[in-house]
Amino acid sequence: FSPKTCTCPIVIRPPSPPLSQRSITMSGENSIASELKLRHVFGLKEDVTDNVHYIEENVIVYPCGRNIVIYDTITKTQRFIVTGDANEDSASEITAIAVSPNRRTIAAAFRTDTNGKIDIYDVRTLKLCASLINPEVSSSLYTSLKFSPDSKYLLCIGGEPDFILSTWDWEAKKVLQSESIAVKSTSSNLRCSFSPHDPSVLVLTGYKLVNFFKIDSDSKLQHIETKGKIAENYLCHEWLASNLLLVGTESGKVLLFQNFSLLKEMSTTSDLMPVTCIKVCSRDKSFLVGTGSGKIEVFQRQHKDDELANDFKKQKEFVVQQEQTAAVTSLSVSPTQRSTCIALENSQMYTLTSFNADVLNPRDMKFQPLGELGHHATINGMDICQRKPLVVTVGQDKSVRVWDYMTKTLENVKYFAEEPLSVAFHPSGFHLVIGFPDKLRFFNILMDDLRPVRDFPLRNVREVRFSNGGNLFAAAQNSLIHVFETFTCKPRPDMMLKCHSSKVASIYWSEDDESICSAGADGHVFLTKLGESREQVNNYFLKGVHFTCALSSYDEKMYAVGKGSKIVEIIDQSPTSPEIDGKKELSQICIGHRPQRMFFVADMEGNVWSYKYPFAAIYCVGYSCHADAVSKMCISSDDKYLFTVSRDGTLAFWDIISPEFRSRKETKEVIPWSEEVMVTKSDLEEKHVIMHQLQSRVKILILQNDSKLRQHEMQYQKNLKDSTQKFQLKLEEQKNEYESLREEKADMQVDFQESEKRFFKESKEEFDRIDMQDQNSLLEQIKMYNDAENEYQEAKLQHRNRIRTMEKEHREATLMSKRIHREAKNKAIEKVNKAVEDRDTVMRQFKETKRQLELDTDLEIEQLVRKYEAKLNLERDSTLRLKGENGIMKKRFASLKKHIIEQIEQKKEIEEESLRLEDKVSGLQEEIARLKRQIKKMDQTISERE
């Protein structure tokens, strides 16, 4: 066995200028690659600080992969802020997000190779508003972000080694304050925030750290001493009021600080699980506590008076997930305080309504999942159905999930005791083949369950595929490819392939199901005809390369990717097979159906690249989505949707926008999706029995209801008759009472008229008396007025005489002051003229001195320029020499790294061979023991006979 190898590969390089994401540069119509538009993603990036926020009552923001998802819980639609760029040299990872109090902007912090970065996005337009990079920060990430109450400033804390606390004016992209914090541990639990009622007060919590800061009048951070704090690991905090701060600890306590001093301690759960997050509900003066055991605890204020206003007590306790235990990582309360969103450590999200929390018993409380629950570990395999809009995924969380990509819902989920390694979906949508560590299992897909049909003794099957027609399926076990009939589950020994010498990583059926394209860790790619001959139509070998995926086109070309950034194209075993140079290290490839005009590639950083096929002019467009390597990728039967899964546990649905679909009309008849479901006879009979029982129950309930209605009618008639009689009696009583009241009213009217006449008579006499007194008083006032008028006229005459005398004296004084002022002015003018002459003399002397100094300075500058230019030339020569040495060291490092990888692979192969030999040795030892036991029995028999 000696496969032909390609010894002279041709490398076709991409265009030299970098391609920005979603940008298209056309070199003719045939060079346009299909566009991808992200449609929906399932998953949550659980290691992001504060990874869930409300921006509207029914709109939630959370990170998923390298995207920030804006999810509408009513319409079940998503919008995306794509934070990554597929053309970047290194991928950036989201570490923290924050939403401004006015809910108009989103801040996201990223881990980079050098300085950490913060991007600010507009919620409405989803565009980048500002990018903040502080060159003083040596850390590659930020662990916490928080906006100020007025949304104008941003507070952030960096990671190791310097742990710098910074405040930004993010609109001006300016650092206002910055200070390095002394941290005793490299823990990433550092959290920072502004006081909501006093933005000049900041708080920072972490390992044995509760620090308060005050921004003084000089815009500097002043540390405030914290009194009474305990040496614990503080995991989270939340402001309760202007001077109250709640802090959660790793030992399961909630500490209440008031005016920078510890006021009291509150215990949470009895199991001493850490308090991971706290959220305040301002409407009812309560707060929620999330714990490491997956519980939500509600603390309520007990008293409303001022002295006991800080007395809180735990009222209720809810368990988010009954079947699994996962720590609560983040809480967010909606703007109207009607619902709360909970994010868990296992990448799941749930919602809790305040009405249910108040009414239901905690044991009866069930949290509503936010959207569909996805995988919370690496997704190992994926496949798509041809006749139904279904996708199946399996992951390390030991679950198998069936998704409907048209409605974006989870149709079926089943958990197993062992981790499923691979999966294949039958084209009809009725069967699944799943590989487990101990066996390969065949399942029927029922309406709400997966029913096992048969098990195959194949261990560690990591690749399995149904044929396009569905009558066969192939499974890769180590270096062998087994083929089985679908409907009889019988193996086909005549089709078993033994062409590989190491593990098979990829299986792909040809369009006519007559051949299989396979790739393995041994560096071989084969296209083999099935049958007795097992003819190799096409093959390729590249030493030292571990191929991860391979496929074949309808014209028997093969394409493969492995460790490296090359897409290998093999044509008729020709040595002129080109290698298309990709952007990053590649992991998966996928090709469209006939006429095969689209080609997609995924890399180890979670990016997806779209190529125009065939590769007449190499052109690609990159799209960023996942935060880790893409583990599987497939395309729908109508070439309208692309599906990708990643090691970060995310599943993405993409819309394919092909230029050909735009330019030409659809000529093929569209076959509607199959709506049939599989139901077992026993299930159907059970449902019929239940249906008959329910129908009988309905009839009984109808009879019981009619009987109760008749009884209620009789009782109502009786009650109506009794009520009528009581009403008639009460009406007669009310009439009699009314007559007596009317008589009393007539008597009272007569008494009132008499008292009114008497009152008018007394009032008239009193009015006459008061009128006489007022006339006498008026005459006296007139007399007093005449006397005062005479006195006023005399005083007025005296005042006029006094004014004339004062005016005469003022004119004389004015003339005297003018004469004195004129003399002083003349003296001042003489002094000014003298000063001007002195100034002119000094200026002439200054100009002469300045001219001489400029001449001396020019000579000195020329000497310094010649000196430093010589020094600069020496530094440039030294820099060029160091760059050359650095290039040589990089080449040596790359060669050593490649050698180490080869050694690791050889070590793995030796370990696998050792395990196989150990299994064989253990089997032989058992056989020896069995033979010894037989010999012993035969010896006993012989001795007895003798």
Side-chain angles (χ1 to χ4, degrees), residues 234-252:
Y234 302 99
L235 303 180
C236 59
H237 69 263
E238 183 77 5
W239 288 94
L240 184 64
S242 58
N243 59 349
L244 296 177
L245 180 71
L246 296 167
V247 181
T249 68
E250 192 175 21
S251 61

Side-chain angles (χ1 to χ4, degrees), residues 244-298:
L244 296 177
L245 180 71
L246 296 167
V247 181
T249 68
E250 192 175 21
S251 61
K253 297 178 182 179
V254 177
L255 308 182
L256 180 62
F257 287 83
Q258 184 177 23
N259 294 327
F260 319 122
S261 300
L262 179 61
L263 182 63
K264 64 180 297 186
E265 295 183 15
M266 292 173 282
S267 298
T268 56
T269 55
S270 58
D271 52 4
L272 300 179
M273 293 300 290
V275 175
T276 54
C277 53
I278 303 174
K279 201 66 180 180
V280 173
C281 303
S282 59
R283 174 175 294 178
D284 51 2
K285 305 301 181 183
S286 64
F287 61 89
L288 306 176
V289 174
T291 67
S293 58
K295 296 179 180 179
I296 301 294
E297 301 181 4
V298 182

Side-chain angles (χ1 to χ4, degrees), residues 573-633:
Q573 303 182 9
S574 172
T576 59
S577 302
E579 294 180 357
I580 297 89
D581 195 355
K583 296 285 184 179
K584 308 288 180 67
E585 185 174 351
L586 307 178
S587 60
Q588 293 291 313
I589 55 176
C590 183
I591 193 170
H593 299 83
R594 280 201 183 225
Q596 294 185 337
R597 291 292 182 262
M598 56 189 69
F599 195 93
F600 301 102
V601 182
D603 60 31
M604 300 297 290
E605 293 182 359
N607 304 312
V608 180
W609 301 84
S610 174
Y611 286 80
K612 173 67 178 178
Y613 186 83
F615 301 109
I618 303 304
Y619 173 78
C620 62
V621 184
Y623 301 88
S624 176
C625 179
H626 302 283
D628 206 340
V630 175
S631 54
K632 289 293 179 181
M633 179 169 58

Side-chain angles (χ1 to χ4, degrees), residues 384-391 403-407 673-674:
I384 188 170
C385 177
Q386 302 297 326
R387 290 289 296 117
K388 294 181 179 181
L390 300 179
V391 174
W403 309 83
D404 188 326
Y405 59 82
M406 297 303 293
T407 60
W673 297 116
S674 174

Side-chain angles (χ1 to χ4, degrees), residues 94 114 116 160 183 199 347 436 510 606 619 655 793:
I94 303 175
T114 54
E160 57 180 343
V183 179
S347 303
F436 290 92
S510 63
Y619 173 78
D655 288 328
Q793 293 296 334

Side-chain angles (χ1 to χ4, degrees), residues 494 497 528-536:
D494 58 323
L497 303 182
T528 310
K529 285 278 188 181
L530 298 178
E532 294 293 341
S533 63
R534 301 173 195 173
E535 176 189 356
Q536 293 181 6

Side-chain angles (χ1 to χ4, degrees), residues 38-45 50-55 58-73 76-83 94 97 99 106 108 121 123 126 341 349 370-371 625 650-652:
L38 193 58
R39 186 168 181 241
H40 206 89
V41 292
F42 295 97
L44 171 69
K45 191 168 174 56
D50 298 331
N51 57 358
V52 62
H53 297 271
Y54 275 94
I55 57 173
N58 299 309
V59 181
I60 298 175
V61 173
Y62 61 89
C64 180
R66 295 173 70 185
N67 305 302
I68 297 176
V69 182
I70 302 176
Y71 179 67
D72 192 319
T73 59
K76 309 296 183 183
T77 57
Q78 294 180 343
R79 295 188 298 156
F80 304 97
I81 299 176
V82 182
T83 61
I94 303 175
I97 62 173
V99 174
I106 299 173
Y121 299 93
V123 171
L126 307 183
C341 186
M349 292 182 290
L370 182 66
C625 179
T650 57
L651 166 64

